[in-house]
Amino acid sequence: MWPDGTQCAVALTFDLDAESVWLVDQANAHNPAYLSQGVYGPKVAVPLLLKLLADEEISATFFVPGKVAEDYPQTIQAIASAGHELAAHGYTHDSPVSLSPDEEEKALVDARRILEQYQSPVLGYRPPMGDFSEHTLGLLEKHRFLYSSSMMDDIRPYRHPGLRVIELPIQWIIDDTVHFWFGGDSWTKKISTPSEVREIWDGEFDGIYHLGGIFTLLMHPQVIGRPSRLKMLKEFIGFMKSYDQVWISTCVEIAKHLDTVIP
Ligand code: ZN
């Protein structure tokens, strides 16, 4: 499955949601303090992440809602100029399940058109809220997206049956929000320490490495971009690099390779 001698692939992925996740909550859509949780992503976290990724000489993938790209053009330009991949993440952050088929198609096409002003072609997709409607896969195929990174049913990539679309699987355990998310509706939830998350991610990476899978680390700038967590991420990247024959690349480069080897 992997290029000669490579044992596993790693993709560092960032869902740059900015305010879009919080705007789904209509009751707080005009509450600047509430929305500032998302503002932290483009305002503070992305510059810190771009520095970290440059220091580590890693190209990553940023999944961006079209509306966020419209609101933060300088941030999107900085990501693209640094050589990272831009991929679609809806137009707003509304679940595709809540949209009509026409609305979902428009969101997908609009998001790609907006992102392609910075980098073309845009070939990847991850749905807002992690939701697929019954139309999503057909729309990805119709609009010639090469890959999706949405499903939790494998640790190895695969091609969706009967379609060209490649799947780069994810899972909650390697999603930063599960461990670090905190909101006003979760006062009793403890925020994990970076060392707790390192222990979990180290074990998952080691297992996926030995099984020859793909480690698709799913992060959000507004979540992972706190100083203590960035320190953990840098150390974790060093841990992954200490293994032999690990291929760290963008989702699209990994998917392009897989497209040539998966029937
Ligand atoms: Zn998102």
Side-chain angles (χ1 to χ4, degrees):
M1 175 172 283
W2 302 123
D4 282 350
T6 303
Q7 175 61 26
C8 86
V10 172
L12 300 188
T13 72
F14 300 93
D15 293 2
L16 179 57
D17 296 324
E19 299 101 314
S20 66
V21 172
W22 288 274
L23 284 169
V24 173
D25 176 5
Q26 295 291 331
N28 281 298
H30 302 287
N31 178 343
Y34 183 75
L35 299 176
S36 71
Q37 298 174 91
V39 174
Y40 183 85
K43 183 179 178 183
V44 179
V46 169
L48 293 173
L49 280 168
L50 293 180
K51 167 81 166 62
L52 188 158
L53 292 168
D55 289 347
E56 295 295 326
E57 299 181 336
I58 288 176
S59 294
T61 300
F62 287 76
F63 292 87
V64 187
K67 181 72 168 64
V68 172
E70 288 178 333
D71 291 346
Y72 293 98
Q74 291 174 329
T75 301
I76 307 308
Q77 186 61 61
I79 292 169
S81 297
H84 303 293
E85 179 196 358
L86 298 175
H89 190 46
Y91 179 72
T92 64
H93 210 275
D94 292 294
S95 164
V97 177
S98 72
L99 305 177
S100 72
D102 286 348
E103 288 172 335
E104 183 179 2
E105 183 167 20
K106 185 173 187 322
L108 187 67
V109 171
D110 284 353
R112 180 163 70 181
R113 175 181 49 76
I114 293 161
L115 293 174
E116 285 188 338
Q117 295 169 18
Y118 300 89
Q119 184 181 85
S120 186
V122 166
L123 296 172
Y125 179 70
R126 176 176 288 154
M129 317 302 276
D131 293 335
F132 259 39
S133 78
E134 57 188 307
H135 309 287
T136 306
L137 271 175
L139 288 172
L140 294 180
E141 186 80 1
K142 175 182 176 183
H143 292 287
R144 296 191 295 281
F145 279 81
L146 175 60
Y147 74 89
S148 132
S149 182
S150 324
M151 299 292 179
M152 302 196 183
D153 57 351
D154 212 328
I155 56 165
R156 295 186 183 85
Y158 60 89
R159 199 185 292 278
H160 285 279
L163 304 176
R164 187 189 173 204
V165 180
I166 301 269
E167 183 65 37
L168 306 179
I170 54 174
Q171 222 286 333
W172 292 121
I173 194 168
I174 47 176
D175 179 332
D176 61 355
T177 55
V178 174
H179 309 290
F180 293 131
W181 182 274
F182 187 82
D185 55 354
S186 56
W187 284 108
T188 58
K189 179 181 182 291
K190 173 184 169 295
I191 296 176
S192 298
T193 66
S195 61
E196 286 170 334
V197 179
R198 258 307 294 276
E199 182 181 353
I200 293 168
W201 287 1
D202 282 11
E204 273 298 298
F205 173 75
D206 184 77
I208 289 174
Y209 175 87
H210 285 104
L211 290 166
I214 182 168
F215 190 82
T216 316
L217 188 57
L218 199 171
M219 297 172 283
H220 300 75
Q222 72 270 25
V223 175
I224 198 73
R226 303 302 308 187
S228 59
R229 297 171 188 164
L230 289 170
K231 179 170 179 287
M232 182 274 282
L233 176 60
K234 186 174 177 64
E235 292 166 358
F236 180 58
I237 290 170
F239 172 77
M240 292 192 289
K241 284 180 172 176
S242 75
Y243 282 61
D244 288 334
Q245 302 296 339
V246 175
W247 180 30
I248 305 177
S249 190
T250 58
C251 289
V252 71
E253 289 306 314
I254 293 170
K256 282 179 181 173
H257 164 74
L258 292 167
D259 193 39
T260 67
V261 296
I262 299 180

